[in-house]
Structure formats: C-alpha cells, structure tokens
Amino acid sequence: MNYRSAELKDIPGIILLEKKYHKNSISEEDKADGYIGTFFSENKLQRLIEEENSLVVACDGNRVIGFAGAASWKFLMQWPVFQPMIDDLPNIKYQDKILSVDNSYQYGPVCIDKDYRGTEVLHNLFERSRLLMKDRYPILVTYVDQTNQRSFQAHSRKLELDIVKRFEFHGNQLFVLCYDTSKKTKEFI
C-alpha cells in the first residue's frame, strides 16, 4: 500500500470513488457502511493538488483505493457553499482557541473503497494528511453528517477527533469535530 500526495494522474481514480460512494449515488442499504457528502469536480481536484497540495491518496498498486481531502478556508471561500462554515468559525472554541481562517483548515471528505475499510488505510490517510497540513494550521476541523454513523465512529472513536458542537448545514445535522495537528495520529490496532 502506498500513501502519498495526490498527483494529476490520480484524478480519475478519485472521481471513480466519489461516484461510487457519494450520498446521492450510493444505495440506501449501503449508506450504513459510510458515504461522502462532498463531490469535488475534476477542476476542483486539480486545484487542490496544484494550489493547496492538500489531497492525499492511498494506492494499492496503480489503483486509487482511498483519498483524504483538506483545504484552507481561504481556498474554500471562493465557493459560496462553504461560507456558512467559515462564518461559524468564531463560534467554535477548541483547546482555548477561537477558530478562524488563520488557525484552522477543513479536513475531508475522506473516502475509502469498501474492501479496505476497517484496515489501517484510514489511519494512514489521516496521518499523511495531517503531516501535509500541520505546519500551516494548528487545528483541523471536519464536519460529519449525524446520519453517517460509520464515518462519525471512525473519526471520533478510532482517530480520536474531539466533538466540539453540532451544526446545521443546508438542512443536514452535522457534528463538528476538531483535532490538534501537532498530535501524531494514534497507531492502528
């Protein structure tokens, strides 16, 4: 298994995973196994790779079997859909710090092929992503739909992200989770 920063050649594999596991394309019965709520277009993926250097992939041979996105709030500001999250940052306190676009970033989505879930892939993707962002931002912020219990458990229990509040976003109830990026990811057991 190889974990690395995404390259332009990885975009088709990332899009394939997005299409397979997005909440609008996955079957209702498969939603219990987790899904993603954000879909990045080819253009956005290219910009994440080239401008942010914040997209990580897991590859089994030449096949992309997982990815973890991350981006600065300043990068995300150009899309109005992220504005409610940005506007809410001053209402989030984590480790005695009020969050801002300068001390935090958005982590996610994370998507792993079903055949690789429950393995070390999530931990390794998360750690690789953390390493890319830790020198830029001390605090990671992510949003998990309350109906996506597999993702919530993976992030809160396995990766030990801290639940800081609930947030309503376009009619969806989300958990807001944070993580201190100076803290090495707990080893996979």
Side-chain angles (χ1 to χ4, degrees):
M1 200 69 63
N2 183 26
Y3 303 91
R4 59 175 170 74
S5 293
E7 301 170 8
L8 295 178
K9 69 179 182 178
D10 299 317
I11 290 175
I14 294 167
I15 289 176
L16 187 64
L17 285 172
E18 285 184 318
K19 287 180 179 175
K20 188 173 181 180
Y21 296 109
H22 189 271
K23 69 179 180 178
N24 292 338
S25 58
I26 196 167
S27 68
E28 283 302 316
E29 58 269 12
D30 287 339
K31 280 187 180 178
D33 290 328
Y35 58 88
I36 58 172
T38 303
F39 188 92
F40 287 125
S41 66
E42 183 175 342
N43 178 264
K44 285 181 185 170
L45 289 169
Q46 180 178 342
R47 292 188 62 202
L48 276 173
I49 293 167
E50 294 177 340
E51 297 172 30
E52 289 281 290
N53 184 31
S54 60
L55 189 61
V56 175
V57 292
C59 297
D60 189 352
N62 292 325
R63 184 173 155 233
V64 175
I65 57 91
F67 69 88
S72 69
W73 293 113
K74 291 175 183 172
F75 177 79
L76 295 173
M77 281 180 180
Q78 60 195 302
W79 293 289
V81 70
F82 292 103
Q83 199 58 52
M85 294 170 175
I86 295 166
D87 291 343
D88 191 56
L89 289 173
N91 299 318
I92 303 172
K93 187 174 184 180
Y94 182 67
Q95 297 185 335
D96 296 325
K97 294 179 185 120
I98 302 296
L99 298 195
S100 71
V101 296
D102 297 317
N103 69 6
S104 68
Y105 70 97
Q106 159 72 29
Y107 164 78
V110 179
C111 186
I112 299 170
D113 187 274
K114 192 174 182 177
D115 293 340
Y116 295 84
R117 294 178 188 173
T119 69
E120 75 286 352
V121 173
L122 174 64
H123 288 81
N124 290 329
L125 275 173
F126 184 82
E127 179 62 9
R128 181 72 183 172
S129 179
R130 181 193 71 83
L131 290 171
L132 273 180
M133 301 300 283
K134 74 179 183 71
D135 293 333
R136 295 184 252 179
Y137 301 98
I139 302 169
L140 167 155
V141 182
T142 194
Y143 300 79
V144 178
D145 192 310
Q146 291 180 25
T147 65
N148 193 349
Q149 280 298 303
R150 180 163 188 135
S151 180
F152 175 70
Q153 293 299 325
H155 286 90
S156 63
R157 191 173 46 82
K158 291 181 181 177
L159 295 175
E160 299 182 342
L161 275 67
D162 297 307
I163 306 157
V164 295
K165 70 180 279 185
R166 294 171 189 254
F167 182 72
E168 184 173 334
F169 184 68
H170 298 287
N172 297 311
Q173 300 301 314
L174 309 176
F175 289 111
V176 181
L177 298 98
C178 292
Y179 192 81
D180 175 350
T181 61
S182 70
K183 189 171 98 175
K184 185 181 183 314
T185 307
K186 182 178 137 183
E187 296 294 323
F188 175 74
I189 298 172

